[in-house]
Amino acid sequence: MTSIDEGRRYLAERLADTVAKALEADLASRERVLLVVSGGSTPKPFFSALATKALPWSRIDVTLADERWVADDDADSNARLVRETLLVGPAAEARFHSLTTDDDTPEAGVEAVSARVASLPWPASVVVLGMGGDGHTASLFPDSEQLATALETSEATVAVHAPSVPQARITLSAARLADAHLHVLHMTGEDKRRVLANALGGDDARQLPIRTFLSQPIATYWAP
Ligand code: 6PG
């Protein structure tokens, strides 16, 4: 294992500690709590670390910040990543809520998914976000036609035509993503250093949607 791998694993374990503590704190006063996670390639070691935590998982609802509109067993499916790396061991008891339907397009399924998401026990204890090299977070892409809608709507989810593949996606709206006790930004790699610096620097939310959430507590986890 390289020192980069070790650093990322250490980061993932500390992040899992933080998320477990935030869930435990909310579980002390609520019967059901909500965890929102992101997909992509970064979270895998975090999911593996979190899955081992001794939490009352049957009281924890888990959903995604965004999803690619692909089959459940597709390599690009964020739900597949969650099922294979988080919902294993003790965490298999959690209630997972996917963001897809059998419809051919996210536009056709978005109403049903919004109803599903709206029924979850908000506010979330934690929303874990990632960020792409192009500055997108969840599927809030700086260059997508749907960004203004996703930032302004009171609906729970928005169908998105992303500028990168897979293009058909669905994202939680900014209103849902903002509704959390704690936000976490989890990023790894030198390429993400610049994006992180921009996020904490100056651009407005239209250019870097993550800035929508920066008026709230946000824990930043970055490793090379
Ligand atoms: C997705 C994710 C997305 C992710 C970033 C970072 O489905 O694409 O939820 O928002 O957090 O794209 O992706 P990487 O971890 O692969 O760099």
Side-chain angles (χ1 to χ4, degrees):
M1 185 179 279
T2 66
S3 62
I4 286 187
D5 290 335
E6 276 171 24
R8 290 180 182 184
R9 202 173 66 178
Y10 179 82
L11 186 81
E13 284 167 2
R14 298 293 72 76
L15 171 54
D17 292 344
T18 296
V19 169
K21 281 205 177 84
L23 291 167
E24 268 169 355
D26 271 0
L27 284 159
S29 58
R30 296 168 63 191
E31 182 51 34
R32 280 175 65 197
V33 301
L34 176 62
L35 169 65
V36 180
V37 294
S38 291
S41 56
T42 308
K44 199 170 173 181
F46 157 59
F47 289 160
S48 299
L50 186 62
T52 65
K53 298 287 181 195
L55 292 164
W57 284 103
S58 61
R59 292 168 54 202
I60 300 175
D61 290 84
V62 178
T63 194
L64 286 157
D66 69 319
E67 179 61 286
R68 297 95 181 264
W69 205 263
V70 294
D72 268 8
D73 58 354
D74 192 288
D76 281 328
S77 164
N78 287 335
R80 174 180 165 160
L81 175 73
V82 168
R83 287 198 177 96
E84 291 182 352
T85 58
L86 176 59
L87 303 178
V88 293
E93 297 285 305
R95 304 182 219 197
F96 177 62
H97 308 272
S98 74
L99 299 184
T100 50
T101 63
D102 291 336
D103 296 293
D104 289 340
T105 63
E107 287 78 9
V110 68
E111 198 176 322
V113 179
S114 278
R116 191 185 304 158
V117 169
S119 73
L120 297 175
W122 299 94
S125 301
V126 191
V127 171
V128 183
L129 297 166
M131 208 169 12
D134 60 1
H136 78 272
T137 194
S139 279
L140 306 178
F141 284 83
D143 294 330
S144 76
E145 277 175 35
Q146 296 80 18
L147 178 62
T149 306
L151 291 178
E152 286 153 24
T153 186
S154 57
E155 297 294 333
T157 64
V158 174
V160 172
H161 184 77
S164 54
V165 288
Q167 292 187 308
R169 297 182 184 221
I170 190 161
T171 188
L172 297 200
S173 62
R176 281 300 100 229
L177 289 167
D179 194 11
H181 292 140
L182 177 67
H183 290 86
V184 173
L185 183 53
H186 182 204
M187 292 191 289
T188 56
E190 282 300 326
D191 55 325
K192 302 285 177 77
R193 186 201 292 273
R194 178 186 52 81
V195 192
L196 177 59
N198 277 347
L200 301 177
D203 298 303
D204 75 19
R206 290 284 166 104
Q207 288 161 305
L208 278 181
I210 187 75
R211 291 185 57 79
T212 307
F213 312 111
L214 292 187
S215 59
Q216 297 167 274
I218 183 160
T220 304
Y221 284 77
W222 177 84

